[in-house]
Amino acid sequence: AMLLALFNSAASLAEPPSAPALSEGPSLRARVSARPRLKVLKRLQAKGNRLLLGGSCDSAGRCSFEAKCAEPLLGGTIALSGRSLRWSRLWLLPGLADAATRVEVCSAVDLRTGKPDAELRLGLRRAFSKRGLSLVHAVPLSLPLGGEQEGGGRSPPLRLEVGATLDVPAEVTLSARDPRAALRSARFSVDIDRADLCVEY
């Protein structure tokens, strides 16, 4: 009986305070929605053309494959993804910073049915996140070898890419009468929504 009483008292002390502690500061909620995924990339170069081969498989067993290369005749890109063969060309029209217009022409054919398709996409140069602030960080797990990276550097053949989305209040109003009122009502959340182990060689 004495041991049971000590266990119950320790459990009650370990429980976090509920209402009083939450009312004194902003609320922060964290969750993990990422599905771990393995990505394998292979870069080849032949006769001045670059070819990218890639495949990925997540924890649910869903796998995909893609091959991509530059098309020098019209200045576009040819990609083979799943059962679809696609050609695309992108133009960035002049504008003010991120408000520049993005025009993309796509032509695809379904290799299984032979049905063709074409698309014209118009939008802004920068793709804004639908919700919150998206952050992606690559953690190298090995020393760089042969893969070239933008800016003249070399990318490590093994790296971990971790991404998270941070939701913040649209606005926070501070009042001279009660400066802490805005902090008590603020709601923040962090969602770790990306965890990719990349192997590039």
Side-chain angles (χ1 to χ4, degrees):
M2 183 178 297
L3 292 177
L4 181 60
L6 291 176
F7 178 78
N8 292 333
S9 61
S12 61
L13 290 176
E15 293 180 354
S18 53
L22 293 177
S23 61
E24 294 179 359
S27 172
L28 176 61
R29 183 182 61 181
R31 72 189 194 101
V32 179
S33 64
R35 289 181 177 270
R37 183 171 55 171
L38 174 64
K39 297 174 63 177
V40 180
L41 302 175
K42 175 64 175 179
R43 299 181 185 271
L44 302 174
Q45 189 168 359
K47 297 182 180 180
N49 296 326
R50 292 184 177 181
L51 177 63
L52 174 63
L53 304 176
S56 64
C57 187
D58 61 11
S59 58
R62 292 191 296 257
C63 300
S64 62
F65 172 79
E66 183 178 14
K68 185 183 298 184
C69 68
E71 184 272 308
L73 183 59
L74 299 177
T77 302
I78 298 177
L80 175 63
S81 178
R83 62 181 188 181
S84 176
L85 179 64
R86 188 176 103 167
W87 174 89
S88 61
R89 174 73 188 273
L90 176 65
W91 291 273
L92 299 177
L93 303 182
L96 298 177
D98 293 333
T101 305
R102 184 174 184 265
V103 181
E104 185 177 6
V105 177
C106 302
S107 178
V109 59
D110 192 319
L111 299 179
R112 180 175 300 179
T113 63
K115 183 179 179 180
D117 191 13
E119 294 180 349
L120 174 63
R121 299 177 182 176
L122 300 175
L124 296 180
R125 179 174 181 176
R126 178 183 177 186
F128 293 92
S129 177
K130 294 182 179 180
R131 60 179 184 86
L133 177 63
S134 297
L135 304 174
V136 178
H137 183 65
V139 181
L141 302 179
S142 63
L143 296 177
L145 293 178
E148 292 187 356
Q149 196 178 20
E150 295 182 0
R154 294 180 179 272
S155 58
L158 183 62
R159 62 184 182 274
L160 178 64
E161 295 181 354
V162 181
T165 300
L166 174 64
D167 285 342
V168 297
E171 62 179 17
V172 176
T173 303
L174 299 179
S175 173
R177 179 178 302 176
D178 190 359
R180 297 184 179 180
L183 296 179
R184 288 195 298 265
S185 61
R187 298 292 182 266
F188 298 87
S189 66
V190 178
D191 181 17
I192 301 177
D193 49 13
R194 178 174 176 180
D196 297 342
L197 179 61
C198 301
V199 181
E200 183 175 349
Y201 62 99

